Amino acid sequence: MREFTAPALARVDRNANLTDFIVNNAAHDPHHVSFRRRIGSQWHDVTAGQFLYEVTEIAQGFIAAGINPGDRVAILSRTRYEWTLVDFAIWSAGAVTVPIYETSSAEQVQWILSDSRAVACIAETPELSSVVADLKPDLPQLHAVWQIEDAPPPGDVGSFTSLRRNGVGIPEAVVEARRSTVNAESIATLIYTSGTTGRPKGCALTHQNFLAEVMNVTAQLGEIFERPNCSTLLFLPLAHVFARVIQLASVYQGVTLGHSSDVKNLLDDFAAFRPTFLLAVPRVFEKVYNSATQKAEAAGKGKIFARAVTIAIAYSEAIETGTLTPKLRMQRSFYSALVYRKLRKSLGGRATHAISGGSALGSRLGHFYRGIGLTVLEGYGLTETTAAITVNPSRGAKIGTVGQPVPGTTIRIADDGEVLAKGPIVFGGYWRNEAATDDAIDPQGWFHTGDIGALDEDGFLSITGRKKEIIVTAGGKNVAPAVIEDRIRAHALVSQVMVVGDNEPFIGALITVDEEALEPWKATQGKTGSVTDLLTDPDLLAAIDEAVQYGNKAVSKAESVRKYHIIARDWTVEQGQLTPSMKLKRNVVMKEHEADINAIYGR
């Protein structure tokens, strides 16, 4: 199939804007618990009425500080309650939010503040405030910086308390008037695409883009968002469009929302918060699975766990094919009591669904999680499409695909296999960059995603590779690296994989080791030492060989990895090899590991 359109389930009023969500919530049920805010180790309820009051208070502070309609205000912070609070306050003051990842370098922060022409910035910590304060002399339009944390701010940076206090003299009617200046066509945010090459581009998303996305996706996934006492814990960076849409969808549907930035203790937060649905990138689901596998093996229950995995996958596959038997139901029930219940409890015990995006989860893990009682719905999208352009339905999901078009969206497959999109969720262009806009949107209005994919007869999309990442070997074979990379990365000991082989005689790979997973593996194997010490260890090599061979099963011989090189140091966002959304910066890795790639090919 070359094209598929999903009819819209909701239409956007041209006079609407995103602040309508919180105003309507407070008017409809001011005592509803809209948020659970963590202060220290305790979670505190925030009602819809209280949230609107706090948003208005911050908006008054912005107006008192001279922020005008259409002005850009940056947020430089990890995911936390105040991020959401400030986001709505910026819109309530008639302004535009510019998110910046807290992991960004000073140079990246300067570029975004300069290119967006931000007039103010909210920074989370004294360290981040100092970064902005140091840049301020070179940013003439940036006239105000405030700090979220209570610690003394540096230089002329103001406190969050002072921002609230300064707006006392501004009547609430002024905020309402400002809020009313914003309509669906107004720009809501400039999200600078992290990108894998070059300077980030400011993606201008309107209130209509977000409204169309949120209203249609939540209608499409009503079983998840309309469940009684529905809640979710947001831990992905709110600077990324995926988390931002879930934030808005939760507020729109009255889902109780919590925030966490402590990824290392995420399971503890799940246990305390007990969300009814989750959202994450595939790496999170891989780590939960790998950790459970290692714990079972360390406890001498590896065979039981492996059997439980087999039954869970078989159960999910039988659901999809309509071949579920009484015997399989009974086996699944047995392992649910023995294994699956504990896994679900580690995620809080109440979650029935999860939404995954950013990269491919893989069919095996998709079937495993559905088999244990947590249906992971894969979706697909970009910043330019306001997050998802496709998502799997809560009922009738096709594991291994990224779902059907979001209602109101059309997907087309071009002659070269590229995925094209059109609809109200597709952005209108990049901020102050007409050339980049013309490259992304053709004269007929189709947005070119840069990804290669296929549509089945029911409109389910499968992504098979990235157009710009297609590797062409010396023998002329076209290879999409994502397929085999996802399979290899599924192994517990593997952290990251990058397939190489452009203009080379065969396909090779660079592989990094997951240091968290390495520790329990060393304990079971009686090993000591770091990754560097174990690079030639026969047992580690055998484990990585196993991962590579599993990956090779998914592709033809010409596409399979013949040789690989284990890298002693993992790739991270902080060191610059990964984008904040955990995508590989292939050009960076290629440059840093030129010698390792040469070694693969005997040079």
Side-chain angles (χ1 to χ4, degrees):
M1 180 175 288
R2 309 298 298 180
E3 186 173 309
F4 190 90
T5 300
L9 296 177
R11 303 282 181 183
V12 176
D13 186 312
R14 70 172 306 276
N15 294 315
N17 71 60
L18 294 166
T19 64
D20 293 341
F21 293 173
I22 60 172
V23 172
N24 294 340
N25 287 349
H28 175 68
D29 186 358
H31 302 295
H32 172 72
V33 178
S34 294
F35 298 89
R36 292 185 67 204
R37 179 185 182 186
R38 187 169 63 178
I39 302 175
S41 60
Q42 301 297 315
W43 292 90
H44 299 266
D45 292 348
V46 179
T47 65
Q50 182 182 345
F51 184 71
L52 178 61
Y53 174 82
E54 291 187 45
V55 167
T56 302
E57 190 179 41
I58 301 295
Q60 289 168 319
F62 284 144
I63 294 170
I67 290 172
N68 296 310
D71 280 349
R72 275 74 61 201
V73 179
I75 304 177
L76 176 60
S77 171
R78 295 173 299 169
T79 292
R80 55 187 294 162
Y81 171 75
E82 290 85 355
W83 210 114
T84 301
L85 183 65
V86 170
D87 203 15
F88 277 99
I90 290 170
W91 293 328
S92 296
V96 176
T97 304
V98 182
I100 307 177
Y101 290 100
E102 83 282 357
T103 55
S104 299
S105 67
E107 185 177 324
Q108 289 170 325
V109 173
Q110 181 174 30
W111 165 251
I112 294 172
L113 292 174
S114 173
D115 188 67
S116 67
R117 299 179 180 177
V119 301
C121 179
I122 308 291
E124 179 183 17
T125 64
E127 292 76 18
L128 293 174
S129 295
S130 294
V131 170
V132 180
D134 290 344
L135 296 172
K136 198 177 174 190
D138 297 321
L139 298 166
Q141 287 186 294
L142 186 71
H143 64 76
V145 183
W146 294 282
Q147 180 180 296
I148 293 174
E149 288 193 350
D150 291 334
D156 62 348
V157 174
S159 68
F160 206 54
T161 301
S162 69
L163 173 60
R164 291 174 183 263
R165 189 169 51 238
N166 291 346
V168 170
I170 305 295
E172 289 185 15
V174 173
V175 176
E176 179 60 27
R178 280 290 190 91
R179 190 181 79 81
S180 300
T181 66
V182 180
N183 61 33
E185 295 177 359
S186 303
I187 295 176
T189 191
L190 300 179
I191 300 181
Y192 279 77
T193 56
S194 52
T196 54
T197 60
R199 273 183 163 173
K201 300 186 291 289
C203 184
L205 297 175
T206 64
H207 286 260
Q208 174 171 290
N209 291 144
F210 279 114
L211 289 164
E213 172 83 0
V214 166
M215 293 165 67
N216 281 287
V217 167
T218 56
Q220 186 179 19
L221 302 179
E223 184 179 351
I224 298 174
F225 287 95
E226 296 172 9
R227 175 177 170 180
N229 301 314
C230 189
S231 65
T232 192
L233 183 66
L234 200 60
F235 59 90
L236 296 180
L238 272 165
H240 192 277
V241 72
F242 181 28
R244 195 84 166 285
V245 162
I246 296 299
Q247 166 193 273
L248 292 169
S250 298
V251 175
Y252 173 63
Q253 286 288 353
V255 173
T256 300
L257 181 64
H259 301 75
S260 175
S261 56
D262 188 6
V263 178
K264 290 184 178 179
N265 296 309
L266 195 55
L267 293 183
D268 292 338
D269 282 348
F270 283 148
F273 194 87
R274 303 191 68 223
T276 59
F277 75 90
L278 313 172
L279 73 152
V281 293
R283 191 64 184 144
V284 172
F285 298 111
E286 290 169 359
K287 279 187 169 289
V288 169
Y289 171 81
N290 291 338
S291 176
T293 302
Q294 290 179 325
K295 285 180 181 178
E297 290 175 351
K301 299 178 180 178
K303 289 184 178 179
I304 294 174
F305 187 82
R307 179 62 179 162
V309 169
T310 299
I311 294 300
I313 293 171
Y315 181 85
S316 175
E317 290 174 339
I319 290 175
E320 198 154 289
T321 58
T323 57
L324 196 58
T325 63
K327 179 181 179 181
L328 193 51
R329 286 182 186 274
M330 185 173 65
Q331 290 174 318
R332 196 258 183 184
S333 179
F334 172 76
Y335 283 107
S336 181
L338 195 65
V339 178
Y340 309 152
R341 188 177 299 164
K342 294 177 183 177
L343 276 171
R344 294 194 300 270
K345 190 175 180 180
S346 72
L347 297 171
R350 293 205 306 153
T352 57
H353 290 82
I355 303 171
S356 176
S359 61
L361 177 66
S363 296
R364 187 170 184 273
L365 276 184
H367 283 300
F368 166 74
Y369 277 106
R370 184 163 68 179
I372 73 168
L374 180 73
T375 301
V376 181
L377 304 175
E378 285 197 84
Y380 161 75
L382 301 89
T383 305
E384 291 86 348
T385 61
T386 324
I389 40 178
T390 65
V391 66
N392 265 288
S394 51
R395 291 184 182 274
K398 286 190 180 181
I399 304 293
T401 76
V402 291
Q404 297 169 307
V406 167
T409 306
T410 300
I411 297 293
R412 173 183 286 183
I413 306 299
D415 291 341
D416 63 356
E418 185 177 8
V419 179
L420 312 182
K422 185 183 286 189
I425 61 174
V426 176
F427 82 138
Y430 296 107
W431 175 255
R432 300 171 59 212
N433 196 334
E434 289 184 16
T437 300
D438 291 342
D439 285 342
I441 303 175
D442 67 26
Q444 287 73 46
W446 290 99
F447 170 65
H448 290 241
T449 66
D451 290 310
I452 304 298
L455 285 166
D456 71 10
E457 65 278 2
D458 298 314
F460 283 82
L461 179 67
S462 296
I463 299 296
T464 56
R466 183 83 184 151
K467 190 175 179 180
K468 292 180 180 178
E469 293 173 359
I470 296 295
I471 292 170
V472 183
T473 66
K477 178 65 178 177
N478 285 14
V479 178
V483 177
I484 194 166
E485 287 172 350
D486 292 339
R487 294 266 295 200
I488 295 173
R489 201 174 55 245
H491 193 281
L493 286 176
V494 174
S495 177
Q496 298 292 337
V497 185
M498 192 178 89
V499 167
V500 297
D502 208 34
N503 294 317
E504 301 289 359
F506 57 85
I507 295 298
L510 302 175
I511 299 174
T512 70
V513 174
D514 188 321
E515 294 186 17
E516 287 184 25
L518 185 65
E519 292 305 312
W521 180 84
K522 286 191 298 185
T524 59
Q525 299 290 322
K527 308 281 185 184
T528 58
S530 64
V531 176
T532 303
D533 299 327
L534 295 168
L535 284 178
T536 58
D537 181 87
D539 293 322
L540 179 63
L541 291 175
I544 301 300
D545 276 339
E546 181 183 299
V548 171
Q549 293 311 312
Y550 175 68
N552 284 344
K553 289 180 180 178
V555 296
S556 68
K557 186 175 181 180
E559 297 169 290
S560 64
V561 171
R562 308 271 189 90
K563 291 184 180 180
Y564 62 86
H565 193 91
I566 302 175
I567 306 300
R569 187 182 67 178
D570 201 0
W571 303 323
T572 66
V573 174
E574 293 75 17
Q575 293 172 8
Q577 298 94 355
L578 304 178
T579 71
S581 56
M582 302 301 288
K583 293 185 177 71
L584 276 173
K585 293 184 178 180
R586 294 178 185 271
N587 61 319
V588 173
V589 175
M590 290 283 287
K591 185 176 181 180
E592 289 184 359
H593 296 284
E594 183 179 1
D596 297 312
I597 295 169
N598 285 337
I600 288 174
Y601 297 104
R603 294 192 291 268

